[in-house]
Amino acid sequence: MTEEALKAHNQPAKQPLVVWVIFFATIISFMGLGLVDPILPAIAEKLHATPSQVSLLFSSYNLITGIAMLITGVVSSRIGVKWTLLSGIILIVIFSALAGSSNGIWGVVSFRGGWGLGNSLFIATALSAIVGLSVGGTAKAIILYEAAIGLGISVGPLLGGELGSISWRGPFYGVSVLMIIAFLSLLLKMPKVTKPKTKSSVLDPLKALKFPGLFRLGLTAFLYNIGFFTLMAFAPFVMGLHEHGLGFVFLGWGLCLAFTSVFVAPKIQAKFGTIKSMCTMLTLFALTLLAMGIWTDSSTTVIVCVIIAGLFLGTNNTLITTAVMEVAPVERATASAAYSFVRFIGGAIGPWLANKLAEKFNPHIPFYSGAIFVFIAMLVIAFGRKHLAHVDRVAH
């Protein structure tokens, strides 16, 4: 490599405006996930619901998001990237407002499912759009995407705690307002992106799962998300904090997630490789859940573990998303849809399972269960090295 080329390679790439517009919209979109966390106990109290019923806010959201991932390619290949993103935002605006207007837990749960439909159209298209439109390569684009997720997830709980202290309905209405801002930004600033030459089929993501590497990453994410949403949907019930306190705890968690996804993951990947790094992060997360299970009665321990878990989750999210983009010989949008379909199903099972286990046994069991699922996820990666070896080569 010549000296001039080396300098160009090391210089940070200046991204087009459209990438930053999508980045901004992605931040707001992922605020919707964290906004709900601080108000879970409040919703249970105000709507006279059990924790397992409240956990269905995550389950319905994730289940519909996962299933709808199968149609995101079909929609975007026919109406284009821009209008797929805008359609997703419109659905989020409508259903989040309807959820905030509901007077019963089943209404909120149902409207969260509609919110998940809008979310699927947005996030799958946003990832492929950022990767396709950004400058500097796939890895840098994914780091940018993960940074947007981290910022959204970290700021969301703080805002949710503030709005939730006024009323549990506040965060839902807050999402509607923020997504209207995102809608106007994309409508005015995003140019029309050329549609793909070939129209996607609903079966394309399912067919993509026949590639062993992509299937293993999807299965890993399925198992790992059960542990992830055990932390998200059950931990708020054992911390003994009100909306403000929960907001600050998950702010710390989100900041750790954002920091490691952007700054730590690339360095660890470059030094140790994708597979070894993922196995390490999954093991550390499993041990964190185990510690939460052992010391569930200590709210201080649970709070510290939740924040620390963000370090491992942020790193692993970037590592696995980068691997998905390179692991199979299919279009990135198809690979993303296939992977997301499987992982969001795990995200639907995790919240409900955790709270059901707590109701049937005791509050320690959900964390033990989550730790086991995450440890199995690590084994899926560790014993699938031959199907993922080329991802390590691409990373280096």
Side-chain angles (χ1 to χ4, degrees), residues 22 129-130 216 243 304 340 376:
I22 300 171
I130 287 179
R216 278 192 174 266
E243 292 86 352
V304 171
S340 296
I376 295 172

Side-chain angles (χ1 to χ4, degrees), residues 5-27:
L6 186 60
K7 288 180 179 178
H9 177 75
N10 290 328
Q11 286 177 348
K14 185 177 181 181
Q15 300 295 349
L17 177 61
V18 61
V19 172
W20 293 113
V21 171
I22 300 171
F23 177 81
F24 168 73
T26 304
I27 291 174

Side-chain angles (χ1 to χ4, degrees), residues 309-379:
L311 299 172
F312 313 135
L313 294 170
T315 306
N316 190 68
N317 284 349
T318 296
L319 292 169
I320 197 167
T321 306
T322 305
V324 166
M325 292 291 103
E326 305 291 351
V327 74
V330 296
E331 292 184 3
R332 291 187 178 114
T334 301
S336 174
Y339 160 74
S340 296
F341 165 68
V342 179
R343 75 177 171 121
F344 275 109
I345 300 301
I349 294 171
W352 176 84
L353 178 63
N355 284 281
K356 271 296 180 186
L357 288 172
E359 290 172 7
K360 188 171 180 62
F361 299 103
N362 61 64
H364 300 265
I365 299 299
F367 295 117
Y368 293 143
S369 172
I372 291 170
F373 279 112
V374 175
F375 184 73
I376 295 172
M378 183 277 293
L379 295 178

Side-chain angles (χ1 to χ4, degrees), residues 73-74 76-79 195-202 204 331:
V74 175
S76 63
S77 66
R78 284 161 176 77
I79 68 174
K195 298 178 186 177
K197 294 180 180 178
T198 58
K199 289 182 169 60
S200 298
S201 163
V202 175
D204 287 347
E331 292 184 3

Side-chain angles (χ1 to χ4, degrees), residues 111-230:
F111 290 129
R112 275 282 284 182
W115 184 345
L117 175 60
N119 188 61
S120 68
L121 291 173
F122 180 84
I123 62 173
T125 313
L127 174 57
S128 60
I130 287 179
V131 171
L133 295 170
S134 66
V135 177
T138 299
K140 289 183 178 179
I142 290 172
I143 290 170
L144 193 64
Y145 177 76
E146 292 293 340
I149 293 176
L151 287 171
I153 289 177
S154 60
V155 175
L158 185 62
L159 185 60
E162 293 299 319
L163 296 175
S165 65
I166 301 170
S167 168
W168 69 265
R169 302 178 192 274
F172 293 100
Y173 293 137
V175 168
S176 280
V177 173
L178 290 170
M179 290 308 285
I180 289 172
I181 297 172
F183 178 86
L184 294 174
S185 300
L186 281 174
L187 184 65
L188 296 174
K189 295 295 184 181
M190 185 172 180
K192 185 177 180 181
V193 180
T194 305
K195 298 178 186 177
K197 294 180 180 178
T198 58
K199 289 182 169 60
S200 298
S201 163
V202 175
L203 296 178
D204 287 347
L206 296 176
K207 290 177 180 177
L209 290 172
K210 72 180 181 181
F211 294 102
L214 184 59
F215 177 78
R216 278 192 174 266
L217 290 176
L219 180 58
T220 299
F222 171 86
L223 296 164
Y224 148 73
N225 267 270
I226 293 177
F228 180 100
F229 280 97
T230 294

